[in-house]
Each structure stands twice: as C-alpha cells, then as structure tokens.
Amino acid sequence: MSARNVAVPGRRELAYAVLLCLSGAGLALWAARSTWVVGVLDRPEPLLVVDEGRTGGQLLPWLPALALVGLAGGGALLATRGRLRRVLGGLLTLLGLALAAGGGYGLVADLGGQVTRLLPALCLLGGLLVAAGGLLTAARGQRWPAMGARYERGSASVRRPVGPIAGAGTVEAWDALDRGEDPTARGEDPKVS
C-alpha cells in the first residue's frame, strides 16, 4: 500500500471533522441569534401588543460566544497537529456539549410567552455536531496530516547561505526576498525588466 493511499483516509477524516465543527457551530450561532421567545402583552384595548421577543443569545448570553469559539476551533484543526490537535478535539467536544446543553435548556425551560421549539432544537443539533467533530479529532486526530512545510518557518540548516544574487529580475532575487533579504542592498544596480 502506498503512502498516498494511507494519507487519503486521514485527509478525509480531517475534512469530516472540520466540516462537522464548522457546520455545527454555524448552525448553533444562527439559532442563538434568532428569536426563541415572543411575548404577547394584553392591553385593555381590543388590540394586542406583541413584544419583539428574545433571542437565544439574550436568554443565554454565553451561547453565541461559544458558537464563535467553535467556528474558530474548527478552523484551527487545520493548523494544528499531533497532541495539540487531540487536545483541541477534547476542547471542541466539551464546547459542543455546552452548546447542546444551551439548546436543551431552551427546549425544556419555561421561558414565558410563545416559545419556538425549533430554534433551540437546532442549537442542540449544532452542539452535537461540534461534539462529534471534536470526538473524532480527539480519537484519531494525531494520525491526520498537518499543513505542508511551506507554511512553517524554515530552520537555519535549511536556508541557503547568503551570497551574491545574479540579477534583480531573476528567480534568485525572488528567493532572496522569500528569505527576508533585500536583493538591492548589495550595491548592485537594480534592473527593471
């Protein structure tokens, strides 16, 4: 079995975990920012006055914040590796369970007024999706591929020694810029091509 065939399932699992976390946190954020409770106030007049209502974020102020952290954590799965990724998976699991608990509270609590049960249920579902992505990451995340080496800062042994550059418009000049050097600072006349 080639290395490419072994890496593909890991990439798929990583993609599934990221999609679970991002979609779950996005669903929970949307549900938390929507109106869960609408109150109707009786007046002596024949007209009823409808209150604007309260969102899930107004009822549970920590709910949108946790959903945003879940979105950030889902993106951070791509940038981490090894043991740190597994720890992040555990944190995402706990975060997802907290989101699900907030949605469950909205389902069973007496919030007064007319309660929309669909939105707390969607928040609960979003939290369970984040928790599933976190569990998958905590269980198998250490084996998943990490970002390529091109995103990491090179070590001193990998860098090329500093030397004269053949010309300002060449590939060597661009490589010097990538290393953080200024190809025009050597006293050479900069050539414009």
Side-chain angles (χ1 to χ4, degrees), residues 17-44:
V18 169
L19 286 175
L20 281 170
C21 291
L22 292 179
S23 62
L27 182 63
L29 180 63
W30 177 77
R33 299 183 104 196
S34 300
T35 303
W36 287 13
V37 179
V38 176
V40 178
L41 305 173
D42 289 327
R43 294 240 175 171

Side-chain angles (χ1 to χ4, degrees), residues 4 14-16 27 34 40 47 52 56 61 65 68-69 82 96 108 118 133 153 156 165-166 174 177 186:
R4 180 173 168 80
L14 175 61
Y16 292 151
L27 182 63
S34 300
V40 178
L47 299 174
E52 277 187 21
L68 286 172
V69 171
V108 299
L118 176 65
R153 187 177 187 135
I165 298 173
W174 288 107
L177 287 173
R186 289 187 171 65

